[in-house]
Amino acid sequence: MWRRQAGHQKKETEFLSDVVERVEHGRDPSDQILRTEADQEPLIFESLKTPQTPSHHAEGPFLRDHLRLMLRVLSAVVNDQLHLTQIEELARLKGFEGEVEEIEETIKENSALFEVFVLVHDAAKWTTVYFDAPEGSRGRALGFLESHFAHRHDIGISERAKFRSRYLELYETFASERIGQSETQIQTEFYLIYSIDSHYANHDKLIHARTYRELLERVSKRHRLAPRDVDLLETLITHHLDPITDFRSIRPQAVLRYHALAVKHGYDADDFIDLLQGCVFLDTVCASKQVTVSGSTHDTAVLTNFLQSEHDFAPWRRTEKERVREDRHTRERNTIFREVGLDGIALMDLLEMEASPQFGQILRRIHEAIVTGNPLPHFKKEIDAELVKRVEQFYEKTFLV
């Protein structure tokens, strides 16, 4: 359970629940980001108060807890505090290291886009939330029963608002009597007593409504996204829940609809799927805790099934993507070699050699040793010391999987 890291140290993988717990309690600007956006956008301010229940969202009693955790995971990935290839559940996908790494790189390269996704993707939950409780429960006795028009936007708005207020009042009273307990403890205890589940009727599709589309445009503008990114985000938000249904199991045929969706909107299919998988990782995998008999857990199955389905749908595309990734990694590695003095010209100067087949062999031995972690060839004491110094600088600038 380890991966090679800079400096050739063995790096143990971590189970996702441990990774998220570490990130969840770390310091980052997620709370300030939420406050800043809420101060400027009443729709976001309201959405943060949306109730959520532990059958699907055990990370906290309100939507703010879900968004906060998403932002913290995003920050951890961007700042190299979380590497997807070191998550045990993903590391078990033998042969998919490149695909997992691709998701991480996609998140890093599009961090502003993903931050806007976090802030806006669930904003419509506030107006669409409705509740249900099973027969015989205390929640049902209090009237929390899904009405036949819960999904109707024209009739159900006032009814949903009424029950939303009732739920918040009931929860606030319950929480006020449990000073000293954590929010997740109170959330779980409340659910065990009342058995009320929250649902959100088509909240993902409401991004097309003028109110939420304009919200997306304003938030995107503050994050300096291009107009094309706004359209891309609208599509991602509309379909961010679809993989949960499509990839409950490995279903290669389901990948076709995402290729068709990309073609319809004029996106590169591979890039669109990478972005959607990034959304799934942040939203469904990391920031959606589920309650089990042994505590809360995270489900990676949607993402792993998605990755395996994508491969089975078109295995030759995976080979081509791997070739492109290898070419990119080689270019990046050679750039760092030049920066730290490990390219051919710099090493000829260090070793006081001319270009020749003999030097070519030595250069390959040095580069292979750096990449694989094998011992470096030995030269004069002074040269060895300088070579080690440059290699350490190389490892400071790169992360080898």
Side-chain angles (χ1 to χ4, degrees):
M1 290 167 50
W2 59 273
R3 291 289 180 273
R4 186 173 300 279
Q5 194 180 15
H8 316 303
Q9 298 175 344
K10 292 182 178 180
K11 177 65 176 179
E12 291 188 357
T13 59
E14 296 179 272
F15 286 103
L16 181 60
S17 57
D18 295 329
V19 172
V20 173
E21 183 176 359
R22 170 170 56 81
V23 170
E24 191 173 13
H25 296 97
R27 289 188 174 185
D28 68 63
S30 58
D31 288 329
Q32 183 57 49
I33 292 171
L34 290 177
R35 282 194 296 269
T36 299
E37 292 297 333
D39 287 343
Q40 299 184 71
E41 298 290 351
L43 287 173
I44 292 180
F45 176 80
E46 286 185 331
S47 73
L48 299 181
K49 302 180 293 180
T50 305
Q52 57 181 26
T53 46
S55 50
H56 297 290
H57 287 286
E59 62 273 8
F62 304 106
L63 181 63
R64 68 162 186 262
D65 302 298
H66 176 62
L67 302 189
R68 181 190 296 127
L69 184 52
M70 285 184 73
L71 287 172
R72 288 184 173 177
V73 173
L74 173 60
S75 175
V77 171
V78 171
N79 292 299
D80 289 324
Q81 297 165 347
L82 188 165
H83 294 287
L84 275 66
T85 52
Q86 292 172 1
I87 295 173
E88 173 61 21
E89 292 89 338
L90 299 181
R92 289 174 179 171
L93 274 178
K94 300 304 181 184
F96 283 82
E97 293 84 0
E99 284 77 4
V100 172
E101 186 183 51
E102 189 77 24
I103 297 173
E104 179 174 334
E105 291 304 315
T106 298
I107 292 173
K108 289 178 177 178
E109 292 169 3
N110 300 275
S111 58
L113 183 144
F114 280 105
E115 186 167 305
V116 175
F117 173 81
V118 174
L119 294 167
V120 180
H121 79 291
D122 278 347
K125 279 186 172 182
W126 174 252
T127 57
T128 61
V129 65
Y130 66 92
F131 304 93
D132 198 13
E135 186 69 42
S137 67
R138 292 182 65 175
R140 176 67 69 89
L142 292 173
F144 288 94
L145 167 67
E146 177 185 353
S147 64
H148 68 280
F149 51 80
H151 294 270
R152 292 282 298 277
H153 296 302
D154 52 347
I155 300 175
I157 293 176
S158 61
E159 186 76 4
R160 287 196 298 272
K162 179 179 70 176
F163 276 96
R164 185 177 63 215
S165 297
R166 287 181 60 185
Y167 181 95
L168 291 172
E169 290 172 4
L170 181 65
Y171 190 89
E172 182 179 352
T173 300
F174 185 88
S176 68
E177 298 169 351
R178 285 158 178 79
I179 304 300
Q181 294 186 27
S182 69
E183 288 194 336
T184 52
Q185 287 175 325
I186 296 172
Q187 180 195 27
T188 301
E189 188 175 340
F190 181 85
Y191 184 74
L192 290 173
I193 291 174
Y194 291 100
S195 302
I196 303 172
D197 273 307
S198 60
H199 309 277
Y200 317 97
N202 300 316
H203 75 280
D204 48 338
K205 310 308 179 192
L206 275 185
I207 191 62
H208 300 308
R210 180 177 177 180
T211 299
Y212 293 102
R213 168 68 195 206
E214 290 178 349
L215 170 67
L216 175 60
E217 291 173 356
R218 291 194 300 272
V219 177
S220 297
K221 185 176 181 180
R222 286 197 291 274
H223 284 72
R224 300 181 179 179
L225 297 183
R228 180 171 174 78
D229 287 336
V230 179
D231 294 334
L232 177 57
L233 276 165
E234 182 177 1
T235 307
L236 289 169
I237 291 172
T238 301
H239 296 281
H240 76 276
L241 296 179
D242 293 357
I244 298 174
T245 301
D246 287 337
F247 301 111
R248 288 177 178 152
S249 60
I250 299 173
R251 297 178 61 238
Q253 68 275 18
V255 177
L256 181 60
R257 70 185 296 256
Y258 296 99
H259 279 262
L261 185 64
V263 171
K264 175 183 176 182
H265 291 277
Y267 311 139
D268 177 87
D270 291 333
D271 291 344
F272 177 72
I273 289 176
D274 288 340
L275 287 165
L276 184 59
Q277 288 171 346
C279 294
V280 170
F281 174 75
L282 294 172
D283 182 25
T284 308
V285 173
C286 290
S288 298
K289 292 185 183 180
Q290 302 171 8
V291 170
T292 65
V293 293
S294 58
S296 61
T297 187
H298 300 265
D299 186 8
T300 60
V302 174
L303 182 57
T304 57
N305 289 339
F306 197 164
L307 289 169
Q308 290 177 299
S309 298
E310 184 186 9
H311 167 258
D312 293 348
F313 170 71
W316 62 89
R317 295 180 69 90
R318 181 185 183 194
T319 301
E320 177 61 20
K321 289 179 71 174
E322 184 62 31
R323 185 190 65 77
V324 172
R325 279 195 293 266
E326 286 299 324
D327 289 346
R328 186 181 71 235
H329 290 169
T330 298
R331 291 194 299 271
E332 293 172 350
R333 187 178 63 214
N334 289 341
T335 297
I336 299 176
F337 278 156
R338 288 193 295 272
E339 291 175 355
V340 300
L342 288 171
D343 62 294
I345 294 175
L347 287 176
M348 277 194 289
D349 290 340
L350 177 64
L351 300 177
E352 298 179 345
M353 296 182 68
E354 299 290 336
S356 66
Q358 180 186 7
F359 172 75
Q361 292 177 353
I362 292 174
L363 179 64
R364 283 192 294 273
R365 286 178 60 195
I366 293 173
H367 285 178
E368 288 174 2
I370 294 170
V371 173
T372 63
N374 291 325
L376 291 164
H378 288 290
F379 305 97
K380 296 178 182 179
K381 182 178 180 180
E382 299 80 9
I383 293 176
D384 287 348
E386 177 61 24
L387 188 59
V388 168
K389 177 182 176 182
R390 296 183 187 186
V391 170
E392 290 302 322
Q393 291 174 347
F394 173 85
Y395 288 134
E396 289 175 1
K397 288 177 171 285
T398 190
F399 179 83
L400 298 180
V401 178

